[in-house]
Amino acid sequence: MKRFTKLAALILAVAMLLMVAGCTGGEQGGTAKADFKVGVIHIGDPADGAGYSYAHDLGIVDMQANLQLTDAQVIRKINVNDTDAAATRTAIEECIEEGCNIIFGTSWGYMDTMEQLAAEYPDVVFSHGTGYKSNGTNFNNYFGRIYQARYLSGIAAGLKTQSDKIGYVAAMDVTNSEVTGGINAFAMGVESVNPDAKVYVKVTNSWFSPDLEKQAAEALLDMGCDVIAQHCDTTAPQLAAQSRGVWGVGYNSDMTKDAPQAHLTAPVWNWGVYYTKAAKAVMDGTWDGANYFGGMDDGLVDISPLSENCAEGTAEAIEEARAKIMDGSFKVFEGELYDNAGNQVCAEGEVLSDADITGAMNWYYKNVEAK
């Protein structure tokens, strides 16, 4: 009788442990595929067919296909102004009410609201694109080494310009490391093939504003810039370049179809790499709350196919640089580097860390001028 009692107690203890493990995994994952739902908050409308929200939605579509989810299992909220905290909260809470297990917030301005909601809803995973905040459990940050692709696109611009004046429409000023890091990498790519060229920056102070983006591009064109690059959401700068008969480097997606006479290439994201990884981890119960910072090596970032507008020799120069980035023999922010005020920002033999690039780059490279 005593042996049976001990055996029964052992079985009961094991069962309780299994129940606890199951509950722990279920807090932020371990959901059956049929019950699994994904939410995504877009600052624009992916139906535009180009730019930031379109690129993110391509990744969501890729994730949906990879995980074999139905359309009803993907909840999209579009045109959610990231400067409107109330609108952001409403969109996210609607996703929660519809049963989303993980919610992707794709724009910088969603960060604080997602942080707050993560504390209120510990059983939901909040994954925020760009920015810098996370809590290590159900709220993380994802981004990538887009500066690698920026560098390559700078090569295309540097070889194409004839005026040695290249314009850059920037969403935010030098205090935003995400934008500034991209500008600097682009400018370094330009310098690698054309040390006489300068990059002129116009800031819109908005992540998404077709009108402001167009105005900034036109101001740069009026200065004599014959290539227009961008870190902003729409095709407006590329259309402005085409209207003046000059050239452009887009962002987020291949904009050749939108400005076929102007577009050279674009740094692009394959967000499906991360969206598949993150959603699968939540579904499987293996989500660990870690931040994500991918690069060319895992397929997250690249440039779009070079258009026929590119200068002769562009493909060869880019492939040479790409090979060195991929094999690790070249890192964009390494060696003796100077800002545009003459200050040394990196010493010979040193490499800037990811933390420096994403959170402490508040200076412009030596061939950059902000107008």
Side-chain angles (χ1 to χ4, degrees):
M1 184 68 178
K2 184 179 291 187
R3 182 180 301 173
F4 176 80
T5 302
K6 288 182 178 179
L7 179 60
L10 178 61
I11 292 172
L12 178 61
V14 171
M16 290 178 67
L17 285 172
L18 289 173
M19 286 175 66
V20 170
C23 290
T24 301
E27 287 180 0
Q28 291 157 8
T31 304
K33 182 189 293 186
D35 300 323
F36 190 74
K37 284 189 177 182
V38 175
V40 56
I41 314 299
H42 287 302
I43 192 172
D45 186 347
D48 291 345
Y52 187 78
S53 294
Y54 174 69
H56 275 283
D57 205 57
L58 288 178
I60 293 294
V61 170
D62 189 44
M63 175 274 298
Q64 180 181 347
N66 290 335
L67 300 184
Q68 298 180 326
L69 303 180
T70 67
D71 290 345
Q73 291 175 275
V74 180
I75 310 301
R76 293 171 172 84
K77 301 297 178 179
I78 65 172
N79 293 322
V80 181
N81 186 343
D82 76 340
T83 65
D84 186 336
T88 300
R89 172 176 279 271
T90 296
I92 295 172
E93 287 184 334
E94 286 175 355
C95 288
I96 296 170
E97 290 168 3
E98 293 189 57
C100 290
N101 305 89
I102 181 170
I103 300 170
F104 297 109
T106 64
S107 189
W108 178 285
Y110 302 144
M111 178 170 59
D112 291 345
T113 302
M114 294 196 85
E115 179 185 36
Q116 295 162 10
L117 287 168
E120 296 174 28
Y121 297 93
D123 293 338
V124 179
V125 170
F126 299 82
S127 193
H128 179 255
T130 75
Y132 56 89
K133 290 185 176 182
S134 61
N135 66 10
T137 54
N138 71 321
F139 171 52
N140 83 326
N141 172 269
Y142 65 95
F143 199 59
R145 296 177 178 84
I146 193 64
Y147 61 82
Q148 296 173 331
R150 293 279 190 197
Y151 183 92
L152 299 184
S153 70
I155 293 174
L159 289 173
K160 189 65 180 180
T161 182
Q162 296 179 342
S163 68
D164 289 338
K165 292 182 176 181
I166 297 170
Y168 199 108
V169 179
M172 298 294 162
D173 65 17
V174 69
T175 62
N176 185 285
S177 295
E178 176 191 331
V179 177
T180 305
I183 292 170
N184 290 340
F186 175 82
M188 293 168 71
V190 169
E191 182 193 46
S192 72
V193 294
N194 187 346
D196 296 325
K198 286 189 174 294
V199 177
Y200 297 89
V201 176
K202 284 281 188 184
V203 177
T204 65
N205 289 308
S206 173
W207 295 109
F208 178 86
S209 177
D211 290 340
L212 291 177
E213 293 167 26
K214 180 182 178 181
Q215 292 170 21
E218 289 176 341
L220 291 164
L221 291 163
D222 290 343
M223 291 169 48
C225 295
D226 61 355
V227 180
I228 300 295
Q230 65 181 79
H231 186 144
C232 52
D233 286 2
T234 79
T235 60
Q238 302 308 300
L239 296 174
Q242 180 167 267
S243 71
R244 298 285 188 95
V246 296
W247 318 105
V249 173
Y251 183 40
N252 291 305
S253 63
D254 187 353
M255 295 181 173
T256 303
K257 65 183 185 305
D258 304 285
Q261 283 79 49
H263 200 240
L264 303 174
T265 186
V268 296
W269 296 90
N270 178 15
W271 290 113
V273 170
Y274 173 69
Y275 288 146
T276 299
K277 173 185 173 71
K280 188 175 189 303
V282 175
M283 184 189 298
D284 293 345
T286 58
W287 172 265
D288 62 6
N291 292 336
Y292 174 81
F293 196 64
M296 289 178 62
D297 56 347
D298 64 1
L300 182 74
V301 302
D302 205 339
I303 59 172
S304 65
L306 301 179
S307 80
E308 59 183 14
N309 300 321
C310 289
E312 184 176 352
T314 299
E316 292 78 6
I318 286 177
E319 286 310 308
E320 181 180 355
R322 180 201 298 274
K324 292 179 181 178
I325 291 173
M326 293 293 284
D327 68 18
S329 62
F330 171 69
K331 294 179 175 60
V332 174
F333 295 109
E334 71 173 344
E336 193 173 1
L337 305 176
Y338 291 86
D339 67 16
N340 62 1
N343 303 306
Q344 188 177 49
V345 291
C346 188
E348 186 66 33
E350 294 183 354
V351 180
L352 295 184
S353 69
D354 287 341
D356 288 331
I357 296 167
T358 59
M361 192 168 286
N362 57 359
W363 48 266
Y364 285 133
Y365 189 60
K366 62 184 179 180
N367 63 341
V368 177
E369 292 189 22
K371 293 291 183 180

